[in-house]
Each structure stands twice: as C-alpha cells, then as structure tokens.
Amino acid sequence: IAARLADQPASETFKARDGAALAFRRYPGTAGGGVAVLVHGSSGSNAAVHSLAKAFSAAGITALAIDARGHGASGPHGDIAYVGQLDDDMSDLAKVVAQQFPKERRLLVGHSSGGGFVLRIAGSPRGCAFDGYLALSPYLNYAAPSNRPDAGWAAAGVPRMIALSIVDRIGITGFDNLPVVAFALEANAPNRTATYSWRLQRNFGLDLVRWHDEIKSIDRPTRVMIGASDELFDASMYTQIFAGLQPLVKVSVVPNTDHMGIVLDESAIAEVTATARQMLQEPAPPACLAD
C-alpha cells in the first residue's frame, strides 16, 4: 500500500454532529458519473483504498475515501464515544455528499470490516442515504461460517468481551472504552490502529448478535464481492449465507484474488470498478427517507 501513495490527494475534513473534523480524500470524477464513499478495513485508513479510489475516478466516479472515526486522521485511534457514533458520522457525511452532489447517484463501498459496516448501514433505517451498497470481502461476524480458522489477523479478548456484554445489559457502559481486539501489526506501524475498544468493535461492522437480522433487512441494491483466494474468509460460503438470509444481495467471487488484492490488484480493481459503474447506472431504487 505504502508504495502506491505518492499521488494521494490532499486530506480534507467534514464536520460531524459533535463538531469533530473527520478526514477524507477526494478523487474527482465526471458529472453524471455518480459518487462513491469508500470505507477501509480494520486498523486501516483511507490509504488502503487509494488504488481503488483512483480507478473509480478514472472511470468517471467521484470517490471520497474516508478515515472512519478512530482511524487515520479522524480522532484518537481505537475508540469512539458510543456505539452508533460511526452510523451518525455516515449520516452526516451522506448529507454533505447530497448537498455537494445533489444530482448524482450515491454508492457506499467498504472493504473487510468496512464491508461489514456497509452492510450494517444498508440494513438499517439509514439505508436510504445511498442508492446502493457494495461490500468487498466483508467481515460478517466472529461466528460466521465464512471465517477461516486461525487466520491470525486479530486476537480477541473473549473473557473481557463476555464480561462487558453482561454489564452493558444492566446499563453499565463506563468500561466500553477498554480494548478488546488487537491486530497483527508491527510495533508503531505508521497511521495504523493497533487495538479496538469494545464500543468501536461493536460499531465498525454488523451487530455482534443481530447480524442475521441486519442482512435480512437490506432492501436497497446491494452487491458482495469476495476474492476466491481470500486468506481470512471462505469465499465459497458467501453465496450460501446470503441466499439463506437475503437473496436480493448478489454475490460474486473474483478469481485469483486474495483479501487485500480486491482493493490492490489491477484486475480485481477493474472488476470492482465495473460493478460500481453498473450499479450507479441502473435504474434508481424507490425514493425513501433516511433516519
């Protein structure tokens, strides 16, 4: 990723409802090409989707690559103020996009944990904020049958998570800032988020308990793309999972592509970009009001 960042556009910010300045990078497209908001994966920043954002821009799609709160240049790393704050941030950004691009179709795209977050928004009352959703190799849930055993990317503090879930049920949230997940990063990795708090872990992706219901609730045009050689997730399981939960979600497997390759490899990026263009050119879904 680092080797490809020489031509990154300057970082900009938008103001969230709590006054925080949250970072994103803008990759201009052409009028009528649509707008795509890109969400990186766990521990990352908008640098991870730079190559994909460039390809979108070259294809005429305006891309806004964000640093989700708690990552990159968007506030202190590894924590948020409450479960649901990332949802609020996305609603605030969607309003900015609607104001700046009032005549453009809007697509929300996410990779890995960001892909799970995209599905979370798609299946929520906030889903009307975008015309379509594209999840790339999305992380679904710690218990999802798509997970490969011992992938080695993240270590979870399961006893702490169990304890925090219990105290949360009785209304005690004062410990939600405690870290519960650590990622396999080099020490002092630049601009990376090494750990997630309990509340960030619960918000950056599908709900830990209700993830089935959130997928079932998706009623906007939604696509899932997964690399056939993904090291973290079993690509063969995704068609089965979504066919059982929400058949309206179309799943496609990208050949000869691993987990990061879907946002880095030229051939995979070309396929993702073509899918995004197709979604933005399809007839608009019925208008609705976002929560």
Side-chain angles (χ1 to χ4, degrees), residues 37-41 48-49 52-53 56 107-119 133-140 222-227 230 233 238 242 250 252 254 257-264 268-269 271-273 275-276 279:
V37 173
L38 274 57
V39 187
H40 56 79
V49 293
L52 182 60
F56 276 21
L107 190 66
L108 184 59
V109 183
H111 173 244
S112 197
S113 287
F117 180 68
V118 162
L119 296 173
Y133 294 86
L134 178 55
L136 308 175
S137 303
Y139 172 66
L140 302 179
T222 302
R223 295 284 298 269
V224 169
M225 302 179 72
I226 173 93
D230 195 296
F233 311 130
Y238 279 74
F242 283 91
K250 299 179 181 178
S252 56
V254 184
T257 302
D258 61 17
H259 189 72
M260 289 306 301
I262 202 163
V263 293
L264 291 176
I269 286 176
E271 192 164 338
V272 172
T273 302
T275 299
M279 294 182 72

Side-chain angles (χ1 to χ4, degrees), residues 65-226:
I66 70 169
D67 284 345
R69 188 188 294 256
H71 303 77
S74 291
H77 286 188
D79 194 21
I80 54 178
Y82 56 89
V83 178
Q85 189 169 36
L86 297 184
D87 309 343
D88 290 343
D89 292 343
M90 187 53 65
S91 292
D92 296 340
L93 177 57
K95 291 176 183 177
V96 172
V97 173
Q99 291 168 358
Q100 294 187 5
F101 305 95
K103 297 181 180 180
E104 298 286 353
R105 298 280 299 280
R106 299 187 292 274
L107 190 66
L108 184 59
V109 183
H111 173 244
S112 197
S113 287
F117 180 68
V118 162
L119 296 173
R120 174 192 182 97
I121 298 297
S124 77
R126 303 168 191 264
C128 293
F130 293 89
D131 296 301
Y133 294 86
L134 178 55
L136 308 175
S137 303
Y139 172 66
L140 302 179
N141 185 267
Y142 68 92
S146 52
N147 295 341
R148 294 191 185 279
D150 303 321
W153 165 235
V158 176
R160 176 176 287 185
M161 295 171 74
I162 293 172
L164 290 171
S165 66
I166 292 171
V167 299
D168 278 352
R169 292 193 196 106
I170 58 177
I172 300 174
T173 59
F175 304 103
D176 285 5
N177 64 313
L178 293 175
V180 297
V181 173
F183 298 104
L185 297 172
E186 294 181 358
N188 302 315
N191 208 31
R192 299 296 296 270
T193 301
T195 63
Y196 279 2
S197 69
W198 176 232
R199 53 197 175 198
L200 178 55
Q201 174 64 16
R202 290 170 59 198
N203 199 167
F204 195 40
L206 290 160
D207 188 87
L208 294 179
V209 177
R210 296 184 55 257
W211 68 281
H212 292 91
D213 294 330
E214 288 179 329
I215 291 176
K216 289 177 182 178
S217 297
I218 295 174
D219 60 2
R220 308 290 278 175
T222 302
R223 295 284 298 269
V224 169
M225 302 179 72
I226 173 93

